[in-house]
Amino acid sequence: MKSFKNNNEFFQNTLHPNVGEHTENVNAFNIYNQEKFNNYLKKLGAEEIGEITDKEIKVIEKIKEEIEQLKSDSKNVDKDRLEFDLAIIFHSNLKKLNWGRWLLDDYNMWRWLSMNYFLKEVFWRRGEEKKKKGLVVESAKATYDHLVGRRTRDIFPRRYFLIGERLYDKEKKYELAKKLSKLSKETKSGGFGNLILNMIDTKLLSPNDHVSKMISEVLFTQGKLAEDKEVVRAFVRYNGFKRRLLNTAPKEIFEKEICIG
């Protein structure tokens, strides 16, 4: 996979909608197609290193196809309720390249992948609704934040690969992620956003991502959807109990000590 030689600061200083040729930067995120956007990056001085293989290109194309299908199947679903579906799409396909968590800190690679292939998808997820309201600058900023990644945790493909990595199980595969997807789409309640925010926090480490799975399962799949405050309290409790090695504890411990009302 290719990577940018440029760091995040370069894009912040040249491409952010607040800087440079303001109108063109805004247009780049709102109306450019992918090819025009990629050429604009080169015009700004973005430099690449590495190579991309045919197998990698086919995987990327499959991801884009599956996102298009998701969009078609979910026209009446709020976009923020599709996070788990996007996680399954990215993770299941990138695993075919034998990608794993050791790549999560390769931010320039994730940024290159995001910016060179997923402009349309990020605009759909983050900027489209703002643009429909005439908020073109806000739309461009929202797209920038997740395409380029103002915060590395938000880089579009990396975000969803990480969520998938947290929820994937070698035996049960995407069973938990699919349950969370179904539950999040069936109702407007539930603190799914706070769950995801905590899952993409790289401090949430445990063997085989046991903590992410246990908290998700207990808070959301046992007949009652936890609300935002309950999710926040659960993670605060977990962080307070870290020294007691709860990162390998059975579900009953999480039910009694972490995920309580």
Side-chain angles (χ1 to χ4, degrees):
M1 186 63 69
K2 289 188 177 183
S3 180
F4 278 125
K5 292 175 69 175
N6 316 82
N7 59 21
N8 194 20
E9 186 179 4
F10 167 82
F11 294 108
Q12 185 72 25
N13 291 335
T14 60
L15 187 60
H16 194 279
N18 280 344
V19 301
E21 300 177 42
H22 182 76
T23 301
E24 188 164 7
N25 281 357
V26 171
N27 287 342
F29 292 103
N30 280 322
I31 63 175
Y32 283 9
N33 62 27
Q34 188 70 66
E35 182 180 4
K36 188 173 182 180
F37 184 82
N38 292 359
N39 288 333
Y40 185 53
L41 293 178
K42 294 176 183 177
K43 174 185 171 183
L44 292 175
E47 297 182 80
E48 305 173 348
I49 55 174
E51 300 292 334
I52 185 167
T53 67
D54 290 341
K55 185 176 181 180
E56 288 169 339
I57 291 172
K58 288 179 182 178
V59 165
I60 294 168
E61 289 173 347
K62 188 69 163 61
I63 291 171
K64 291 173 70 67
E65 288 174 10
E66 290 185 11
I67 292 176
E68 284 302 308
Q69 188 63 52
L70 175 65
K71 289 162 64 176
S72 177
D73 294 342
S74 310
K75 291 179 179 178
N76 297 321
V77 180
D78 289 342
K79 293 172 184 175
D80 62 358
R81 294 286 166 160
L82 300 176
E83 296 288 86
F84 300 105
D85 298 86
L86 289 167
I88 294 170
I89 289 171
F90 273 99
H91 191 265
S92 63
N93 282 289
L94 291 175
K95 272 185 68 66
K96 296 173 185 175
L97 299 174
N98 296 318
W99 285 21
R101 64 183 64 239
W102 60 87
L103 286 171
L104 288 172
D105 291 339
D106 193 350
Y107 302 123
N108 286 347
M109 181 276 288
W110 289 106
R111 190 169 283 118
W112 184 89
L113 174 61
S114 181
M115 294 170 69
N116 279 272
Y117 284 96
F118 293 103
L119 172 65
K120 180 174 69 172
E121 290 78 8
V122 178
F123 171 76
W124 159 75
R125 174 65 184 90
R126 298 291 175 175
E128 188 175 53
E129 301 308 316
K130 291 180 174 62
K131 187 185 176 189
K132 286 179 180 178
K133 297 175 183 178
L135 304 172
V136 293
V137 176
E138 289 80 357
S139 170
K141 288 180 179 178
T143 303
Y144 175 95
D145 286 350
H146 291 266
L147 184 73
V148 183
R150 183 172 60 86
R151 297 174 298 190
T152 53
R153 72 182 191 187
D154 290 331
I155 301 172
F156 192 70
R158 183 186 182 276
R159 171 188 176 89
Y160 295 114
F161 182 81
L162 178 53
I163 296 169
E165 189 76 1
R166 295 284 195 234
L167 297 174
Y168 179 77
D169 184 83
K170 289 182 179 179
E171 294 182 0
K172 298 180 180 179
K173 308 299 181 184
Y174 296 100
E175 181 179 312
L176 178 56
K178 289 177 180 178
K179 283 182 182 178
L180 294 170
S181 165
K182 184 174 185 293
L183 291 167
S184 67
K185 289 185 288 190
E186 286 178 344
T187 176
K188 291 185 178 296
S189 64
F192 293 101
N194 269 333
L195 175 66
I196 288 170
L197 283 176
N198 280 281
M199 280 199 293
I200 61 177
D201 182 345
T202 53
K203 294 191 297 291
L204 187 63
L205 300 175
S206 59
N208 299 315
D209 286 302
H210 178 75
V211 172
S212 297
K213 295 182 182 69
M214 282 296 99
I215 292 182
S216 299
E217 188 173 338
V218 174
L219 287 179
F220 292 97
T221 70
Q222 299 190 162
K224 179 181 178 295
L225 300 181
E227 297 299 338
D228 283 326
K229 290 182 179 179
E230 294 173 86
V231 175
V232 171
R233 286 197 293 265
F235 280 100
V236 168
R237 287 192 196 95
Y238 166 72
N239 287 323
F241 279 113
K242 270 184 178 178
R243 292 185 181 180
R244 290 180 53 188
L245 300 179
L246 287 174
N247 57 6
T248 58
K251 183 195 292 187
E252 291 75 19
I253 298 297
F254 280 88
E255 290 173 331
K256 294 176 180 178
E257 298 205 31
I258 304 298
C259 305
I260 53 179

